Amino acid sequence: MDGDAPANVLKTLLEGNRQYVASDWDPNDRELATPPALRLAVVACMDTRHNVEKVLGLKHGDAKVIRNAGNLLDDGTLRSLVVGAHLLGVRTVAILGHTKCGMTLVGRGEFRIARSIAATTEVPLHEAMRPDFQRWLGGFADAEENVRRSVELVRSHPLMPKGLQVLGLLYDNETGRVQAVEQRESKP
């Protein structure tokens, strides 16, 4: 690993912030209301191929945006949604998945991830490959179905307020378009 890389990244980040403060920072941002303007939280993938705000036509302050690998509803994401819904005025949650998500490869790549963990940390390979490792990583086969499962999990979560609107969306990496993901009817 290049020893100068962290210093170069830090320099890039601080220079980017200097430029932001000089030309883009709006002191009015200090006064943005705690509830986002659209009372919206978006759970999206951390994929760098799309900018969530631009893709959805959102302005700064419109939504709380929570990003992680695969737009998964892990404990941290659920905690953020609970805080958003009960403290920050969120009334709508949108789960935004996308095509060609790298998390669809996790089931075939967990050994590569575990090997990297063992090579770059003090965790031995046999510990990195514990039986629940793949479950913990959270990979999935179908991005659209992952959105459906996530929508249902938020809707049925005991800590989510009644009346919370939950939307499923899927971004197409090839076209830039977003489509609504319809929930399947539950079988009685």
Side-chain angles (χ1 to χ4, degrees):
M1 178 180 259
D2 182 2
D4 291 336
N8 289 337
V9 170
L10 177 60
K11 182 178 176 183
T12 298
L13 296 174
L14 293 177
E15 176 58 24
N17 178 254
R18 187 193 66 71
Q19 291 174 14
Y20 165 74
V21 170
S23 61
D24 292 327
W25 182 65
D26 183 350
N28 292 322
D29 284 354
R30 292 181 296 217
E31 306 304 322
L32 285 174
T34 297
L38 297 178
R39 295 187 172 268
L40 170 67
V42 179
V43 177
C45 186
M46 66 181 195
D47 193 293
T48 55
R49 293 172 287 183
H50 60 279
N51 176 312
V52 173
E53 290 85 352
K54 285 183 180 181
V55 164
L56 297 176
L58 300 172
K59 296 185 303 282
H60 182 62
D62 280 351
K64 304 293 186 188
V65 178
I66 305 159
R67 295 184 78 159
N68 65 37
N71 51 275
L72 294 171
L73 293 176
D74 58 14
D75 285 347
T77 302
L78 286 167
R79 178 177 42 254
S80 295
L81 291 176
V82 167
V83 169
H86 292 284
L87 187 63
L88 304 177
V90 168
R91 299 293 173 254
T92 303
V93 172
I95 309 295
L96 177 65
H98 68 95
T99 60
K100 298 184 178 179
C101 184
M103 291 301 283
T104 61
L105 305 175
V106 167
R108 297 180 298 260
E110 73 262 4
F111 182 70
R112 197 169 84 200
I113 294 168
R115 214 173 45 220
S116 177
I117 290 169
T120 60
T121 71
E122 295 181 12
V123 176
L125 182 60
H126 72 277
E127 286 183 29
M129 285 297 296
R130 64 186 189 269
D132 65 343
F133 185 64
Q134 185 176 1
R135 182 199 56 77
W136 178 79
L137 285 174
F140 48 84
D142 183 287
E144 187 171 340
E145 192 55 39
N146 181 54
V147 169
R148 278 191 190 93
R149 274 192 309 273
S150 296
V151 166
E152 186 52 40
L153 191 128
V154 172
R155 284 181 178 161
S156 64
H157 196 281
L159 300 180
M160 294 300 167
K162 292 179 181 358
L164 182 72
Q165 182 179 16
V166 186
L167 311 171
L169 303 170
L170 189 68
Y171 173 77
D172 187 326
N173 283 32
E174 293 295 318
T175 66
R177 288 186 168 41
V178 172
Q179 68 179 21
V181 174
E182 300 300 325
Q183 289 301 105
R184 295 204 172 98
E185 293 296 321
S186 299
K187 294 180 183 176

